[in-house]
């Protein structure tokens, strides 16, 4: 089969289109013929080996030689212990821990997969899993959002951010989206009430405060976030620099004690239930799938570069 392979961390140029052996499913896995796979910032981080958490399990060389986690495709073969799926079923899901989606075939355990709704294209389905679950757990579960609350989403014009803005609006919040100059109109089109261009304004220094901050690209000090939170407010880091994560781990609990503000890391739990819930919102027209561009499998290096360089408005999807 064809796959996009890399053996060392680096720029998109280290990715190569190669002919490799088709994988064989274990007893508790299905073999999927990949139809579409979306690009996440986690692919960019895994490619570069930055931030440092992207090297977990592979300090010097990538642990997995094929990236790609949000897949949609057809079951080609089911392992002996598979009960839920059979050949021909159309499935989708996030296979983040094992990866391998930038390929014509991939193996996945059934507990990572859901049936793709018939009316949804493979591209639409592949655009959902990781971003939807980050957004839902950040906004609804950890954020415990209430109608009328002020919510800020940092990185609101990307994959997870675009879903988070729409969910926050759905739950009745007043939403501020922060991203670069080119994404201001895009964030408004998702429903953001206010937008901030991070190249012009630092949301932690403008005197405004929020009940909830969901940060997709955190790189500030924990004290800057404390300043931007109302009393009783919550801040959750979904992605960002290791320095900021360490600060939050060390100082977050202390800030909760002295200031009645919660500053924590969002440790996203894989959840089929959450993925299916957001998919139902898409089907009901309550959340819109935002696919900026699609690419062919051979164009994965360009596609990952496009996301990594911050051009993507919403999601980028590979049609395999
Ligand atoms: N916590 C967990 O358990 C968990 C699980 C899975 C994934 N993740 C992480 O969650 C993150 C998800 O990212 P994604 O796929 O949504 O990324 P994405 O699509 O690249 O979106 C990130 C957005 O942030 C913007 N941005 C960059 N720097 C910014 C800044 N200083 N201020 C405001 N906006 C900024 C980017 O645009 P520009 O670059 O042009 O500015 C882009 O629009 C990844 O870091 C991933 O590793 C976390």
């Amino acid at each position: 089969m064809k796959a996009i392979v890399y053996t060392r961390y680096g720029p998109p140029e280290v990715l190569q289109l190669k002919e490799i052996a088709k994988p064989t499913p274990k007893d508790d896995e299905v073999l999927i013929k990949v139809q579409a796979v979306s690009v996440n910032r986690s692919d960019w981080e895994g490619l570069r080996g930055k931030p440092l958490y992207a090297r977990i399990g592979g300090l010097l060389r990538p642990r997995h030689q094929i990236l790609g986690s949000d897949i949609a495709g057809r079951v080609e073969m089911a392992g002996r212990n598979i009960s839920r799926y059979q050949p021909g079923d159309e499935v989708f899901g996030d296979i983040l821990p094992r990866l391998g989606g930038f390929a014509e075939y991939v193996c996945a355990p059934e507990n990572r997969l859901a049936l793709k709704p018939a009316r949804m294209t493979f591209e639409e389905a592949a655009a959902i899993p990781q971003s939807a679950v980050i957004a839902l757990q950040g906004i609804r579960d950890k954020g415990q959002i209430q109608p009328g609350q002020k919510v800020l989403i940092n990185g609101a014009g990307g994959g997870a951010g675009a879903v988070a803005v729409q969910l926050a609006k759905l739950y009745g919040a007043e939403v501020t989206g922060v991203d670069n100059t080119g994404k201001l109109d895009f964030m408004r089109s998702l429903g953001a009430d206010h937008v901030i261009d991070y190249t012009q304004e630092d949301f932690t220094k403008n005197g405004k405060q929020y009940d909830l901050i969901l940060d997709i690209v955190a790189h500030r000090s924990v004290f800057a976030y404390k300043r931007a939170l109302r009393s009783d407010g919550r801040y959750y880091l979904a992605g960002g620099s290791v320095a900021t994560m360490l600060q939050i781990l060390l100082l977050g609990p202390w800030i909760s004690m002295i200031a009645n503000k919660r500053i924590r890391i969002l440790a996203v739990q894989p959840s089929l239930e959450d993925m299916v819930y957001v998919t139902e919102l898409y089907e009901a027209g309550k959340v819109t799938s935002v696919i900026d561009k699609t690419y062919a499998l051979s164009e994965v290096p360009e596609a990952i570069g496009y996301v990594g360089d911050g051009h993507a408005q919403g999601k980028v999807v590979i049609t395999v």
Side-chain angles (χ1 to χ4, degrees), residues 41 45 154-155 158-160 179-180 183 198 216-217 219 238 266 268 310:
R41 180 157 290 260
E45 294 167 345
N154 192 41
D179 214 301
N180 68 39
K183 298 186 187 177
Y198 78 80
I216 317 285
V217 273
H219 58 83
L266 174 72
V268 176

Side-chain angles (χ1 to χ4, degrees), residues 7-201:
T7 51
R8 64 185 172 91
Y9 296 115
E13 291 71 37
V14 303
L15 295 165
Q16 289 177 302
L17 179 66
K18 281 197 169 163
E19 197 72 41
I20 61 167
K22 192 166 146 185
T24 309
K26 298 194 184 107
D27 289 350
D28 59 348
E29 291 178 340
V30 291
L31 175 69
I32 298 163
K33 186 169 188 348
V34 181
Q35 302 290 324
V37 46
S38 77
V39 179
N40 286 290
R41 180 157 290 260
S42 50
D43 294 310
W44 171 250
E45 294 167 345
L47 170 66
R48 313 278 309 190
K50 291 182 204 158
L52 209 55
Y53 61 71
R55 296 191 183 222
I56 291 173
L59 192 59
L60 300 178
R61 293 190 174 275
R63 178 166 166 226
H64 302 287
Q65 296 193 344
I66 306 174
L67 292 162
S69 54
D70 279 357
I71 53 149
R74 267 192 202 91
V75 173
E76 174 104 345
M77 193 194 292
R80 211 182 308 174
N81 301 337
I82 297 294
S83 55
R84 236 184 276 170
Y85 300 113
Q86 54 191 23
D89 283 348
E90 297 182 347
V91 294
F92 72 118
D94 176 5
I95 54 168
L96 184 61
R98 61 173 57 212
L99 302 170
F102 295 140
E104 288 178 314
Y105 294 89
V106 70
C107 291
E110 64 179 349
N111 64 5
R112 283 275 172 170
L113 303 168
L115 280 175
K116 178 183 81 61
R119 279 174 302 169
M120 201 171 251
T121 64
F122 285 106
E123 283 75 10
E124 285 167 341
I128 295 176
Q130 197 181 112
S131 6
V133 175
I134 293 174
L136 187 66
Q137 294 186 9
I139 294 292
R140 184 194 65 181
D141 301 349
K142 294 294 181 185
Q144 297 187 5
I145 198 166
Q146 302 296 324
Q149 284 191 330
K150 289 184 191 297
V151 174
L152 180 137
I153 295 153
N154 192 41
V163 188
V165 170
Q166 297 184 72
L167 288 177
K169 285 303 295 175
L170 200 62
Y171 291 123
E174 181 182 327
V175 179
T176 300
V178 186
D179 214 301
N180 68 39
T181 322
K183 298 186 187 177
L184 302 181
D185 283 341
F186 175 62
M187 291 189 287
R188 286 190 195 99
S189 76
L190 297 168
D193 302 287
H194 315 282
V195 293
I196 294 177
D197 177 349
Y198 78 80
T199 66
Q200 303 296 320
E201 185 179 338

